[in-house]
mmCIF file of all heavy atoms in Angstrom:
data_model
loop_
_atom_site.group_PDB
_atom_site.id
_atom_site.type_symbol
_atom_site.label_atom_id
_atom_site.label_comp_id
_atom_site.label_asym_id
_atom_site.label_seq_id
_atom_site.Cartn_x
_atom_site.Cartn_y
_atom_site.Cartn_z
ATOM 1 N N THR W 9 225.456 -55.695 216.621
ATOM 2 C CA THR W 9 224.049 -55.921 217.099
ATOM 3 C C THR W 9 223.808 -57.353 217.378
ATOM 4 O O THR W 9 224.034 -58.248 216.563
ATOM 5 C CB THR W 9 223.177 -55.375 215.969
ATOM 6 O OG1 THR W 9 223.567 -54.055 215.576
ATOM 7 C CG2 THR W 9 221.744 -55.418 216.440
ATOM 8 N N ILE W 11 221.193 -60.041 220.321
ATOM 9 C CA ILE W 11 220.254 -60.189 221.257
ATOM 10 C C ILE W 11 220.722 -61.469 222.144
ATOM 11 O O ILE W 11 220.868 -62.558 221.701
ATOM 12 C CB ILE W 11 218.828 -60.554 220.650
ATOM 13 C CG1 ILE W 11 218.363 -59.429 219.811
ATOM 14 C CG2 ILE W 11 217.870 -60.928 221.721
ATOM 15 C CD1 ILE W 11 217.052 -59.650 219.145
ATOM 16 N N MET W 16 222.270 -60.513 214.897
ATOM 17 C CA MET W 16 221.143 -60.486 214.006
ATOM 18 C C MET W 16 221.498 -61.064 212.644
ATOM 19 O O MET W 16 220.695 -61.607 211.850
ATOM 20 C CB MET W 16 220.600 -59.098 213.886
ATOM 21 C CG MET W 16 220.112 -58.411 215.167
ATOM 22 S SD MET W 16 218.408 -59.050 215.493
ATOM 23 C CE MET W 16 217.563 -58.000 214.238
ATOM 24 N N VAL W 17 222.808 -60.847 212.284
ATOM 25 C CA VAL W 17 223.352 -61.403 211.081
ATOM 26 C C VAL W 17 224.562 -62.203 211.536
ATOM 27 O O VAL W 17 225.474 -61.650 212.149
ATOM 28 C CB VAL W 17 223.711 -60.387 210.036
ATOM 29 C CG1 VAL W 17 224.360 -61.015 208.797
ATOM 30 C CG2 VAL W 17 222.504 -59.560 209.628
ATOM 31 N N LEU W 97 225.402 -51.457 207.908
ATOM 32 C CA LEU W 97 224.135 -51.904 208.331
ATOM 33 C C LEU W 97 223.940 -51.807 209.866
ATOM 34 O O LEU W 97 222.830 -52.116 210.363
ATOM 35 C CB LEU W 97 223.787 -53.338 207.870
ATOM 36 C CG LEU W 97 223.711 -53.659 206.418
ATOM 37 C CD1 LEU W 97 223.514 -55.055 206.123
ATOM 38 C CD2 LEU W 97 222.587 -52.885 205.777
ATOM 39 N N GLY W 98 224.964 -51.395 210.590
ATOM 40 C CA GLY W 98 224.843 -51.313 211.998
ATOM 41 C C GLY W 98 223.702 -50.595 212.543
ATOM 42 O O GLY W 98 223.003 -51.099 213.401
ATOM 43 N N PRO W 99 223.407 -49.317 212.048
ATOM 44 C CA PRO W 99 222.277 -48.631 212.587
ATOM 45 C C PRO W 99 220.893 -49.288 212.390
ATOM 46 O O PRO W 99 220.040 -49.326 213.243
ATOM 47 C CB PRO W 99 222.296 -47.260 211.853
ATOM 48 C CG PRO W 99 223.763 -47.093 211.518
ATOM 49 C CD PRO W 99 224.275 -48.515 211.229
ATOM 50 N N LEU W 100 220.759 -49.934 211.155
ATOM 51 C CA LEU W 100 219.489 -50.616 210.841
ATOM 52 C C LEU W 100 219.315 -51.805 211.802
ATOM 53 O O LEU W 100 218.258 -52.018 212.363
ATOM 54 C CB LEU W 100 219.428 -51.057 209.404
ATOM 55 C CG LEU W 100 218.291 -51.981 209.029
ATOM 56 C CD1 LEU W 100 216.920 -51.231 209.296
ATOM 57 C CD2 LEU W 100 218.394 -52.439 207.626
ATOM 58 N N LEU W 101 220.384 -52.597 211.941
ATOM 59 C CA LEU W 101 220.397 -53.745 212.797
ATOM 60 C C LEU W 101 220.016 -53.406 214.233
ATOM 61 O O LEU W 101 219.497 -54.111 215.022
ATOM 62 C CB LEU W 101 221.600 -54.697 212.687
ATOM 63 C CG LEU W 101 221.848 -55.247 211.329
ATOM 64 C CD1 LEU W 101 223.167 -56.019 211.356
ATOM 65 C CD2 LEU W 101 220.683 -56.004 210.870
ATOM 66 N N GLY W 102 220.568 -52.150 214.619
ATOM 67 C CA GLY W 102 220.321 -51.763 216.038
ATOM 68 C C GLY W 102 218.795 -51.473 216.276
ATOM 69 O O GLY W 102 218.247 -51.791 217.238
ATOM 70 N N LYS W 103 218.197 -50.898 215.225
ATOM 71 C CA LYS W 103 216.719 -50.669 215.317
ATOM 72 C C LYS W 103 216.026 -51.979 215.401
ATOM 73 O O LYS W 103 214.986 -52.126 216.119
ATOM 74 C CB LYS W 103 216.202 -49.862 214.074
ATOM 75 C CG LYS W 103 216.553 -48.418 214.029
ATOM 76 C CD LYS W 103 216.184 -47.777 212.738
ATOM 77 C CE LYS W 103 214.688 -47.870 212.518
ATOM 78 N NZ LYS W 103 214.386 -47.193 211.196
ATOM 79 N N MET W 104 216.413 -53.005 214.616
ATOM 80 C CA MET W 104 215.825 -54.298 214.602
ATOM 81 C C MET W 104 215.969 -54.985 216.010
ATOM 82 O O MET W 104 215.052 -55.687 216.417
ATOM 83 C CB MET W 104 216.338 -55.156 213.470
ATOM 84 C CG MET W 104 215.979 -54.583 212.086
ATOM 85 S SD MET W 104 216.670 -55.665 210.766
ATOM 86 C CE MET W 104 215.630 -57.101 210.906
ATOM 87 N N GLN W 105 217.083 -54.792 216.516
ATOM 88 C CA GLN W 105 217.394 -55.403 217.866
ATOM 89 C C GLN W 105 216.363 -54.775 218.888
ATOM 90 O O GLN W 105 215.872 -55.528 219.697
ATOM 91 C CB GLN W 105 218.797 -55.062 218.280
ATOM 92 C CG GLN W 105 219.111 -55.570 219.733
ATOM 93 C CD GLN W 105 220.369 -54.999 220.243
ATOM 94 O OE1 GLN W 105 221.010 -54.093 219.621
ATOM 95 N NE2 GLN W 105 220.919 -55.555 221.318
ATOM 96 N N ASP W 106 216.306 -53.527 218.850
ATOM 97 C CA ASP W 106 215.410 -52.799 219.864
ATOM 98 C C ASP W 106 213.977 -53.270 219.681
ATOM 99 O O ASP W 106 213.269 -53.473 220.667
ATOM 100 C CB ASP W 106 215.493 -51.315 219.671
ATOM 101 C CG ASP W 106 216.821 -50.700 220.082
ATOM 102 O OD1 ASP W 106 217.645 -51.429 220.751
ATOM 103 O OD2 ASP W 106 217.146 -49.613 219.594
ATOM 104 N N ARG W 107 213.537 -53.467 218.443
ATOM 105 C CA ARG W 107 212.157 -53.862 218.240
ATOM 106 C C ARG W 107 211.933 -55.307 218.610
ATOM 107 O O ARG W 107 210.878 -55.651 219.125
ATOM 108 C CB ARG W 107 211.855 -53.613 216.722
ATOM 109 C CG ARG W 107 210.432 -54.092 216.342
ATOM 110 C CD ARG W 107 209.854 -53.084 215.345
ATOM 111 N NE ARG W 107 208.487 -53.456 215.082
ATOM 112 C CZ ARG W 107 207.598 -52.633 214.358
ATOM 113 N NH1 ARG W 107 208.085 -51.462 214.027
ATOM 114 N NH2 ARG W 107 206.452 -52.965 214.105
ATOM 115 N N ARG W 108 212.906 -56.166 218.354
ATOM 116 C CA ARG W 108 212.695 -57.587 218.531
ATOM 117 C C ARG W 108 212.970 -57.982 219.996
ATOM 118 O O ARG W 108 212.380 -59.035 220.495
ATOM 119 C CB ARG W 108 213.649 -58.393 217.671
ATOM 120 C CG ARG W 108 213.443 -59.829 217.699
ATOM 121 C CD ARG W 108 214.372 -60.606 216.739
ATOM 122 N NE ARG W 108 213.984 -60.338 215.404
ATOM 123 C CZ ARG W 108 214.747 -60.781 214.296
ATOM 124 N NH1 ARG W 108 215.845 -61.427 214.532
ATOM 125 N NH2 ARG W 108 214.301 -60.581 213.012
ATOM 126 N N ALA W 109 213.812 -57.173 220.788
ATOM 127 C CA ALA W 109 214.197 -57.546 222.077
ATOM 128 C C ALA W 109 212.967 -57.791 222.954
ATOM 129 O O ALA W 109 213.016 -58.742 223.767
ATOM 130 C CB ALA W 109 215.108 -56.480 222.691
ATOM 131 N N GLY W 110 211.918 -56.963 222.826
ATOM 132 C CA GLY W 110 210.794 -57.063 223.709
ATOM 133 C C GLY W 110 209.714 -58.003 223.171
ATOM 134 O O GLY W 110 208.703 -58.276 223.934
ATOM 135 N N THR W 221 213.166 -48.380 206.275
ATOM 136 C CA THR W 221 212.826 -49.796 206.143
ATOM 137 C C THR W 221 211.687 -50.145 207.036
ATOM 138 O O THR W 221 211.709 -49.792 208.245
ATOM 139 C CB THR W 221 214.064 -50.718 206.446
ATOM 140 O OG1 THR W 221 215.094 -50.427 205.639
ATOM 141 C CG2 THR W 221 213.698 -52.139 206.378
ATOM 142 N N GLU W 222 210.664 -50.860 206.477
ATOM 143 C CA GLU W 222 209.535 -51.258 207.337
ATOM 144 C C GLU W 222 209.956 -52.342 208.220
ATOM 145 O O GLU W 222 210.504 -53.378 207.857
ATOM 146 C CB GLU W 222 208.347 -51.794 206.418
ATOM 147 C CG GLU W 222 207.693 -50.616 205.559
ATOM 148 C CD GLU W 222 206.516 -51.147 204.725
ATOM 149 O OE1 GLU W 222 206.456 -52.402 204.695
ATOM 150 O OE2 GLU W 222 205.810 -50.411 204.188
ATOM 151 N N MET W 223 209.792 -52.065 209.548
ATOM 152 C CA MET W 223 210.200 -53.062 210.541
ATOM 153 C C MET W 223 209.260 -54.130 210.809
ATOM 154 O O MET W 223 209.538 -55.147 211.528
ATOM 155 C CB MET W 223 210.555 -52.293 211.882
ATOM 156 C CG MET W 223 211.531 -51.118 211.668
ATOM 157 S SD MET W 223 213.037 -51.534 210.859
ATOM 158 C CE MET W 223 213.709 -52.668 212.001
ATOM 159 N N ILE W 228 206.910 -56.781 205.442
ATOM 160 C CA ILE W 228 208.067 -57.130 204.583
ATOM 161 C C ILE W 228 207.714 -58.495 203.863
ATOM 162 O O ILE W 228 207.980 -58.602 202.620
ATOM 163 C CB ILE W 228 209.336 -57.269 205.463
ATOM 164 C CG1 ILE W 228 209.690 -55.944 206.048
ATOM 165 C CG2 ILE W 228 210.480 -57.879 204.556
ATOM 166 C CD1 ILE W 228 210.898 -56.016 206.949
#
Side-chain angles (χ1 to χ4, degrees):
T9 306
I11 298 177
M16 298 279 287
V17 177
L97 294 177
L100 173 62
L101 296 181
K103 288 174 61 177
M104 295 180 70
Q105 175 193 11
D106 293 341
R107 180 145 185 165
R108 186 178 288 173
T221 299
E222 291 182 348
M223 307 308 294
I228 293 175

